Amino acid sequence: MTQFEEIFSTTHGSMHQCSHTYRYQLHFKGLVYTFKVNDFQQLKRALDRVDVAAMLHNPDNSCDLEIITPPQSDRCYVLTLCDIIHLKELLAGTKVMLSLNSILKEKLYTAFA
Amino acid sequence: MKDLVRLKTSLKEEVEHILNEQVKLEALSSSRYLAMAAWCDRNGFDNSANFFYEQAEEERTHMLKFFKYIADMGGRAVSPEVTNIKLEFDSFREIFELALEHEVQVSQAIHRIVDACRKHQDYTTENFLQWFLTEQMEEEYIARRALELFDVIGEEGVGRFMIDQQVTKINYEKPA
């Protein structure tokens, strides 16, 4: 049974988790991308490597877009500067919520073990 | 909600990253020693060449230990890219100076990982690193003693030949 719970959302997208299949699901720009736990870090790193400041300062048209290919996916995201900022915000928020969940789990386990 | 990250890996992201950096540094060490071995071979320092071939092999073993550990802990071990290896050296002595500097660099890098482990309360990785801390004592000792041969024997006359003879005889006796 696949049941996704929301981890974090912004006005531009959301991230969900399925505890049965051990998958995350990203909803962004009308696309739904389901991926494994360890691919989250890789996706976040790929996005973190995008230098927003350099894109802003470069007048070349080719620097207005960035193509991100999510791990183990046959699709790619063609992202504008705004998309990148929104997706970075979404992934950063997700990471914080995952860390918070991890801390809560550990504390609860310690308290009731 | 299940903690999927923790279920998948026992390494914190920051610790995994710094361990992968160490994989890269060990691979770099191996390549540097290989370049030193090749220079010694080209210049007739047979024993030193063998010494550096062995060092190169040892560094590769260290790299694999780190690599395997990351993979065993459920992390993502990254096969490192090694570039810009210095192939030419100004002198026989310079090689040993660089070897010592490099060992110091490796020791400092391992200390930084221990720092990161303590910061993230990753006591398993800290325990894993104990072997490397002891190993670095030996590595630094050997590199330091090898360099000291240049002052003890001197480079004049048959000096460099004698140094080449003595390099492979350096032995570190581990504390009981």
Side-chain angles (χ1 to χ4, degrees):
Chain A
M1 186 178 70
T2 306
Q3 193 175 0
F4 283 94
E5 300 168 272
E6 185 179 294
I7 303 169
F8 184 73
S9 68
T10 66
T11 50
H12 301 282
S14 58
M15 187 73 84
H16 306 258
Q17 168 177 320
C18 177
S19 297
H20 298 286
T21 58
Y22 286 37
R23 295 280 196 281
Y24 294 134
Q25 198 170 67
L26 169 67
H27 294 244
F28 189 72
K29 283 194 82 176
L31 291 175
V32 177
Y33 166 51
T34 308
F35 54 101
K36 287 184 187 174
V37 175
N38 17 5
D39 291 334
F40 173 74
Q41 269 187 30
Q42 211 182 332
L43 177 66
K44 189 171 182 305
R45 272 186 210 146
L47 209 70
D48 288 344
R49 277 195 294 269
V50 178
D51 189 344
V52 174
M55 284 176 80
L56 267 172
H57 291 108
N58 196 326
D60 197 314
N61 284 344
S62 65
C63 288
D64 291 342
L65 292 172
E66 188 71 40
I67 298 170
I68 300 279
T69 307
Q72 299 182 55
S73 169
D74 53 0
R75 289 187 292 180
C76 63
Y77 286 104
V78 180
L79 303 171
T80 63
L81 194 62
C82 286
D83 291 336
I84 289 165
I85 292 167
H86 294 150
L87 190 54
K88 277 191 181 206
E89 183 192 9
L90 181 56
L91 295 188
T94 301
K95 194 187 169 195
V96 170
M97 295 314 289
L98 289 174
S99 301
L100 180 61
N101 184 45
S102 191
I103 292 166
L104 288 173
K105 279 268 174 195
E106 192 185 335
K107 295 296 175 197
L108 284 172
Y109 179 77
T110 311
F112 297 108
Chain B
M1 190 186 282
K2 278 185 183 173
D3 182 1
L4 297 188
V5 179
R6 182 62 186 86
L7 291 175
K8 188 69 193 165
T9 173
S10 45
L11 290 177
K12 291 267 168 40
E13 188 183 347
E14 293 77 5
V15 174
E16 183 189 301
H17 176 72
I18 200 167
L19 285 173
N20 270 314
E21 288 295 305
Q22 192 62 28
V23 167
K24 195 170 184 177
L25 185 60
E26 299 288 352
L28 183 70
S29 305
S30 181
S31 294
R32 281 179 178 171
Y33 283 136
L34 207 54
M36 289 172 180
W39 188 93
C40 288
D41 243 346
R42 284 200 302 278
N43 290 277
F45 300 110
D46 275 356
N47 293 309
S48 300
N50 289 336
F51 171 79
F52 285 116
Y53 280 127
E54 276 178 27
Q55 289 295 110
E57 195 55 40
E58 210 168 285
E59 298 303 325
R60 182 175 157 74
T61 309
H62 294 172
M63 181 199 76
L64 288 173
K65 269 181 192 275
F66 277 107
F67 196 90
K68 188 84 176 24
Y69 177 77
I70 297 168
D72 285 350
M73 293 297 107
R76 181 185 292 269
V78 180
S79 182
E81 186 181 8
V82 179
T83 52
N84 293 327
I85 299 297
K86 183 179 164 78
L87 301 175
E88 292 301 330
F89 303 91
D90 293 335
S91 65
F92 189 35
R93 183 189 174 107
E94 189 201 3
I95 286 189
F96 288 93
E97 285 173 348
L98 291 174
L100 177 58
E101 280 172 23
H102 189 69
E103 288 304 336
V104 171
Q105 190 190 346
V106 171
S107 297
Q108 288 168 340
I110 292 170
H111 292 169
R112 282 196 294 275
I113 308 175
V114 175
D115 275 348
C117 290
R118 289 185 181 173
K119 187 181 160 198
H120 294 284
Q121 298 181 318
D122 185 347
Y123 304 116
T124 311
T125 305
E126 187 182 341
N127 185 49
F128 163 75
L129 291 167
Q130 288 303 317
W131 183 88
F132 287 93
L133 291 170
T134 311
E135 181 70 8
Q136 276 313 114
M137 284 167 62
E138 181 175 344
E139 298 286 346
E140 274 197 43
Y141 174 90
I142 291 172
R144 200 170 287 121
R145 280 283 175 271
L147 186 57
E148 281 166 358
L149 289 175
F150 286 81
D151 295 326
V152 174
I153 297 172
E155 290 186 70
E156 298 305 311
V158 293
R160 281 193 286 272
F161 172 78
M162 293 296 291
I163 292 166
D164 188 50
Q165 295 288 308
Q166 291 300 318
V167 159
T168 49
K169 293 177 186 166
I170 300 169
N171 182 39
Y172 176 69
E173 285 181 23
K174 286 182 180 164

